[in-house]
Amino acid sequence: MSTPPSGSRPAPPRVLTVAGSDSGGGAGIQADLKTMLALGVHGMSVLTAVTAQNSLGVQGAWELPVEAVRAQYRSVVDDIGVQAVKTGMLSSAELVEAVAALIAGTEAPAVVDPVGVSKHGDSLLAASALDSVRTKLLPVATVATPNLDEVAQLTGVTVESEDGMRRAAAAVLSYGPAWALIKGGHLSGDAVDFLTDGSDELWLRAPRFDNRHTHGTGCTLASAIASELAKGRSVPDAVVAAKEYVTGAIAAGFALGSGIGPVHHGWRFAAEAEAGAETEAAAEEPEN
């Protein structure tokens, strides 16, 4: 076993997630922090809600007071500092507006995952909060990452094929984010996402795996983008790197409980460990 070097070391890039907790460990704060660790940044958290959640769905959710959310955010940002912020579950208009104001006063890129429903179809955003997302949160986003259901919820635009993704992106951009990443995972065929700032465009394609265990995909992708932005990558480069990471995580998703299991946030670690074990086994084989 290798020994870590001693002495003071510079801190890695720091990323702050502002999101809810998933007690099952597949999405939310837990997925965000796992992703950040896997991508070599220091993850920090502001908890907005606690959920009772497992592979079958969300059995309960309890929102934290706005003053608790604000205090967590200020505690981290004022002392430690951040190179990127990622938002997830913000269940009420009051929380959305408070977090938007905090982000507006922070000099760091922000990735906004406008979480509306869980993987199992459970609502995670009050209908009364939608207008606050549109008018307060999206305008402070560097990148907004809605899936097609969230696009419809926020803009009224329904997408049934790749042809509609440009229209969806234009509708999201009209609310003010610098970039929109429209996630086409709910369409048939390849897993296609569309990134644009209204001028530059980037289509991202990946094979669709025959694996139902995809819990936490959206949280993982948004956190991966924030992690890459914190490293200094441009938005397109950050999204490309994040797409590669989440594609591997989906391919390695595993069964957990009786329902939908999570993506595998440590898939690269697992692959490296497996390759190392194979190399070690081959080295120990006797020569003929």
Side-chain angles (χ1 to χ4, degrees):
M1 180 182 295
S2 61
T3 302
S6 60
S8 178
R9 294 171 60 81
R14 288 143 285 165
V15 183
L16 179 62
T17 170
V18 184
S21 168
D22 172 3
S23 55
I29 288 279
Q30 288 82 352
D32 297 341
L33 294 177
K34 292 174 187 178
T35 299
M36 293 167 191
L37 177 64
L39 295 179
V41 303
H42 177 66
M44 305 170 292
S45 61
V46 170
L47 199 63
T48 62
V50 175
T51 69
Q53 188 171 168
N54 55 27
S55 70
L56 299 173
V58 179
Q59 291 78 46
W62 298 267
E63 181 181 308
L64 267 69
V66 167
E67 52 268 34
V69 171
R70 189 179 291 114
Q72 291 175 81
Y73 191 101
R74 290 263 60 93
S75 178
V76 171
V77 173
D78 293 348
D79 172 49
I80 300 171
V82 296
Q83 275 76 55
V85 179
K86 176 261 177 184
T87 71
M89 179 183 176
L90 304 174
S91 52
S92 69
E94 190 179 15
L95 265 183
V96 169
E97 292 177 13
V99 170
L102 290 165
I103 290 173
T106 305
E107 292 185 6
V111 180
V112 170
D113 184 17
V115 176
V117 295
S118 75
K119 177 70 67 178
H120 306 86
D122 303 292
S123 178
L124 299 175
L125 180 71
S128 58
L130 284 172
D131 195 54
S132 296
V133 172
R134 298 182 192 105
T135 62
K136 302 294 185 181
L137 190 59
L138 289 179
V140 300
T142 305
V143 190
T145 64
N147 62 33
L148 298 184
D149 288 341
E150 290 156 354
V151 167
Q153 191 178 35
L154 288 167
T155 71
V157 173
T158 300
V159 177
E160 297 179 350
S161 69
E162 286 184 31
D163 293 340
M165 293 179 76
R166 276 196 182 90
R167 187 163 54 93
V172 173
L173 287 174
S174 71
Y175 292 113
W179 293 80
L181 176 65
I182 307 302
K183 300 180 296 190
H186 292 173
L187 298 176
S188 59
D190 287 346
V192 180
D193 303 326
F194 177 62
L195 175 71
T196 184
D197 63 352
S199 176
D200 293 335
E201 295 183 349
L202 180 64
W203 290 92
L204 300 101
R205 296 180 182 275
R208 186 178 298 277
F209 301 103
D210 185 18
N211 184 1
R212 66 189 292 262
H213 302 300
T214 57
H215 184 50
T217 304
C219 305
T220 300
L221 178 62
S223 293
I225 295 169
S227 297
E228 298 299 338
L229 290 175
K231 298 176 186 177
R233 289 182 184 264
S234 67
V235 169
D237 287 347
V239 171
V240 168
K243 174 79 169 180
E244 179 186 1
Y245 169 74
V246 79
T247 298
I250 292 170
F254 53 90
L256 198 68
S258 304
I260 300 173
V263 302
H264 193 338
H265 297 96
W267 66 272
R268 283 177 174 158
F269 299 146
E272 289 171 3
E274 183 178 345
E278 290 175 354
T279 300
E280 185 176 332
E284 292 176 355
E285 289 182 2
E287 294 183 5
N288 293 329

